Amino acid sequence: METSTDYDRSKELKTFDDTKAASKGSSMPSEDVPSAKLDEDYGDSFQVPVIDLKDVLDPAEHEDIIEKMRLASEKWGFFQVINHGIPQDVMNKVSGCVQSFHEQPGEVKMKFYSQALIEYSENVQSLGRILFGLLSEALGLNPSHFTDMGCMEGHSFVCHYYPACPEPDRTIEHAKHCDPDFITILLQYQTGLQVLHQDHWIDINPLEGALKVNIGDLLQLILNDKLRSSEHRVLDKCEGPRISVACFFTAHFQASNRLYGLIKELLSADNPPLYKLTLIKDYLNSFSIKDYNDSALAFLRLK
């Protein structure tokens, strides 16, 4: 079939990939993706909260940290943590290994990548326990409430590598979404991550040594919307490769048949149940079939 152009998309895609100018995550060139309009006029009033955990064991500071985490989780669904206890060299190592994994020949990829991820996994497991404890206290629950109900029984990693892109305005990476877990801990040094806050896309600027934390759908569900799982997205904005290591605390693989319901201690006449009892696998089905503009939680709300 004759066309009015000599453009060969297959050839261009191959050339794009061969030069490593295309992402090895979910970004790819597109003829019809519009340039993103960023919200950049809101100053310091629209900055994702940063929580310092340095004095979390100090009784004089503990309550203040809990309150900051509660407000951040209610209003934003996102916050960054600093002085979280994971050594900088451990974070640098796992980030560097993700990059090496994608840039080295296949036969040398796995050994160092696996070692670094195991070391980081052990550290992030400890941080997750601290965060779940603080969130429990912020809600007036026993510090071990979330761990006792299985929120930490499984965690999985998604490691992304996006090489530098010569035409970032013609790519789209992760579309807006909420995470299908209890909480996510994200290691990412570069720009590009945005959270939807008060109908505006807000940049979550990286801080040295900081980790990003966000509330997932499953935590919002069992808390009856007390904390929020916010939509977020990733844009291709950095000059060099963008590397991210996301840890999802979830029971998907261990307990797909487990029935999760609302935490009764949080319910009252003024806070009636919003969701029905839900199997993890039913939530996952909702997540997989949801419309682009809908939340998976919408399918599980009581009528």
Side-chain angles (χ1 to χ4, degrees):
M1 179 180 294
E2 294 183 354
T3 64
S4 59
T5 178
D6 293 329
Y7 176 71
D8 185 334
R9 178 169 170 76
S10 297
K11 180 179 179 181
E12 291 295 322
L13 281 172
K14 185 178 187 305
T15 300
F16 197 77
D17 187 59
D18 288 345
T19 60
K20 287 194 175 182
S23 168
K24 297 193 178 180
S26 58
S27 173
M28 64 180 295
S30 169
E31 297 92 58
D32 55 5
V33 175
S35 297
K37 181 179 183 302
L38 304 181
D39 297 295
E40 299 173 338
D41 303 322
Y42 301 96
D44 293 337
S45 62
F46 270 19
Q47 294 293 320
V48 171
V50 178
I51 300 174
D52 191 340
L53 300 180
K54 180 177 64 174
D55 297 318
V56 69
L57 297 180
D58 183 346
E61 302 292 337
H62 190 79
E63 292 301 320
D64 183 56
I65 293 172
I66 289 174
E67 180 64 9
K68 289 178 179 178
M69 190 169 293
R70 181 186 67 80
L71 290 173
S73 300
E74 286 182 355
K75 296 182 177 180
W76 285 84
F78 265 83
F79 53 90
Q80 297 196 71
V81 289
I82 58 175
N83 293 314
H84 41 68
I86 300 182
Q88 185 68 54
D89 66 313
V90 173
M91 295 192 293
N92 291 344
K93 187 185 300 182
V94 73
S95 179
C97 283
V98 171
Q99 181 170 353
S100 296
F101 178 84
H102 289 281
E103 293 180 351
Q104 296 293 329
E107 63 273 12
V108 301
K109 285 182 176 181
M110 285 306 300
K111 181 179 179 181
F112 296 109
Y113 179 68
S114 298
Q115 291 175 353
L117 198 56
I118 290 172
E119 182 180 18
Y120 181 69
S121 176
E122 293 171 349
N123 279 270
V124 87
Q125 177 80 2
S126 297
L127 175 59
R129 189 174 301 278
I130 293 172
L131 294 175
F132 275 119
L134 293 171
L135 288 169
S136 295
E137 291 187 77
L139 295 162
L141 302 169
N142 185 292
S144 65
H145 194 102
F146 290 132
T147 54
D148 290 344
M149 67 183 298
C151 296
M152 288 192 63
E153 286 187 3
H155 69 266
S156 59
F157 287 89
V158 174
C159 303
H160 284 127
Y161 172 84
Y162 300 90
C165 179
E167 296 181 275
D169 59 331
R170 301 189 69 198
T171 69
I172 183 169
E173 295 186 13
H174 283 310
K176 65 175 184 177
H177 65 285
C178 294
D179 288 348
D181 63 354
F182 295 106
I183 65 170
T184 303
I185 299 176
L186 176 68
L187 168 61
Q188 180 181 310
Y189 295 143
Q190 297 84 15
T191 59
L193 179 64
Q194 296 182 323
V195 58
L196 188 62
H197 180 69
Q198 298 183 16
D199 297 323
H200 297 289
W201 286 108
I202 308 300
D203 289 322
I204 305 180
N205 295 317
L207 297 174
E208 184 177 1
L211 291 167
K212 300 166 183 64
V213 181
N214 64 279
I215 306 300
D217 271 359
L218 290 177
L219 196 59
Q220 178 174 332
L221 185 151
I222 64 175
L223 296 178
N224 209 41
D225 288 356
K226 178 65 176 174
L227 304 183
R228 60 180 300 181
S229 174
S230 295
E231 288 186 320
H232 50 286
R233 68 182 184 183
V234 178
L235 301 180
D236 195 345
K237 298 177 62 180
C238 58
E239 296 180 357
R242 185 177 65 77
I243 298 153
S244 67
V245 182
C247 177
F248 299 98
F249 282 89
T250 176
H252 295 175
F253 307 111
Q254 287 75 17
S256 62
N257 291 312
R258 178 179 293 176
L259 194 64
Y260 277 88
L262 305 173
I263 296 177
K264 294 180 180 180
E265 292 90 332
L266 301 179
L267 300 179
S268 66
D270 296 327
N271 186 34
L274 300 176
Y275 300 98
K276 56 188 176 182
L277 291 172
T278 304
L279 294 172
I280 291 291
K281 64 180 181 181
D282 290 340
Y283 164 77
L284 291 177
N285 288 337
S286 299
F287 187 82
S288 64
I289 67 174
K290 72 181 179 69
D291 182 81
Y292 178 78
N293 293 311
D294 289 336
S295 164
L297 293 180
F299 292 91
L300 305 176
R301 282 186 176 269
L302 294 169
K303 305 300 182 183

